Amino acid sequence: MSSKDCHHHGKSRGKLVRRIIAGVVIFLLVVLITILIIWAILRPNKPRFILQDTTVYGFNASVPNFLSSSFQVTVTSRNPNDRIGIYYDRLDMYATYRNQQITPRTAIPPTYQGHKEVNVWSPFINGDMVPISPDFSVALGSEQAAGSVFLTIKIDGRVRWRVGAIVTRRYNLHVRCPAYITFGGNSNGVIVGDNAVKFQFVTSCSVSV
């Protein structure tokens, strides 16, 4: 084979490789554009969370700079979409006071939520002698003595959207639910057991994805 033939063969092979690469790129662009069009038509909405109630089994801030607490929290989640499902790959629930975490994270089992479906979760979240900042400790003691404490129940997780056979990448989910706990004569809770008080909220939570 002459050098001219080898050169011609090399050029043909290079053209073939470039055509294959161009074909793959075009295919990926078509797939991406199709997904974006479907996504735009369906207009996915974020799930809606509601804090139904919180049962307080223990809340002790008598030790300076430490807090022991125990709650059972009932939260509902609704998928408002007609054609989009939601995979909850990870959900962690915990309580905060003035944006400081006061309980360890409690994991909620992964689940799939179909179109217009509603899920209900009632996990226990507990914190035993959790350290809190001195300033917050003083404020917490004062608020409890006054008869009310404002907490936030938070859920952090990872979700995926499903449109037919298409499943998206994972997105971060952040849910924030306000919880107003009252004590003593000012309490509007219902006693449900030994030293347990249940507070009905039915409060909408803020959701960001």
Side-chain angles (χ1 to χ4, degrees):
M1 182 181 294
S2 66
S3 59
K4 184 182 293 187
D5 292 335
C6 291
H7 179 68
H8 177 73
H9 185 68
K11 288 178 64 177
S12 299
R13 181 179 298 174
K15 287 182 179 180
L16 179 60
V17 171
R18 286 194 294 271
R19 287 177 181 174
I20 293 174
I21 293 174
V24 171
V25 171
I26 292 172
F27 173 76
L28 292 176
L29 285 175
V30 170
V31 171
L32 179 60
I33 292 172
T34 302
I35 293 174
L36 291 176
I37 292 174
I38 294 174
W39 193 258
I41 293 174
L42 294 176
R43 295 179 183 178
N45 292 308
K46 298 180 293 187
R48 296 170 185 169
F49 282 75
I50 293 177
L51 176 62
Q52 297 284 356
D53 59 64
T54 297
T55 302
V56 180
Y57 290 91
F59 195 89
N60 185 357
S62 60
V63 179
N65 305 329
F66 289 93
L67 173 64
S68 295
S69 58
S70 178
F71 311 97
Q72 184 178 18
V73 180
T74 301
V75 175
T76 63
S77 169
R78 179 177 181 271
N79 178 4
N81 298 287
D82 291 319
R83 301 180 181 87
I84 300 175
I86 303 174
Y87 286 103
Y88 295 97
D89 292 330
R90 179 178 61 80
L91 291 174
D92 294 322
M93 183 182 293
Y94 57 100
T96 65
Y97 171 74
R98 297 194 176 188
N99 212 34
Q100 180 172 353
Q101 187 171 333
I102 59 173
T103 67
R105 294 171 179 254
T106 296
I108 299 174
T111 188
Y112 173 75
Q113 189 174 56
H115 317 148
K116 298 291 186 178
E117 282 188 355
V118 175
N119 287 44
V120 181
W121 296 292
S122 294
F124 285 88
I125 53 177
N126 307 282
D128 185 25
M129 294 295 287
V130 176
I132 57 177
S133 69
D135 291 342
F136 287 0
S137 179
V138 172
L140 182 60
S142 299
E143 290 179 15
Q144 187 176 6
S148 62
V149 173
F150 182 78
L151 304 177
T152 303
I153 305 300
K154 296 186 176 182
I155 303 174
D156 294 332
R158 301 273 282 174
V159 297
R160 290 175 295 159
W161 310 92
R162 178 178 175 179
V163 184
I166 300 173
V167 179
T168 69
R169 66 179 179 87
R170 289 181 174 84
Y171 292 87
N172 291 319
L173 173 73
H174 301 288
V175 181
R176 303 294 182 259
C177 306
Y180 194 67
I181 307 299
T182 53
F183 300 90
N186 296 327
S187 179
N188 57 0
V190 178
I191 298 176
V192 293
D194 295 337
N195 299 320
V197 182
K198 186 173 186 177
F199 297 90
Q200 297 282 351
F201 293 110
V202 193
T203 303
S204 295
C205 307
S206 65
V207 180
S208 61
V209 180

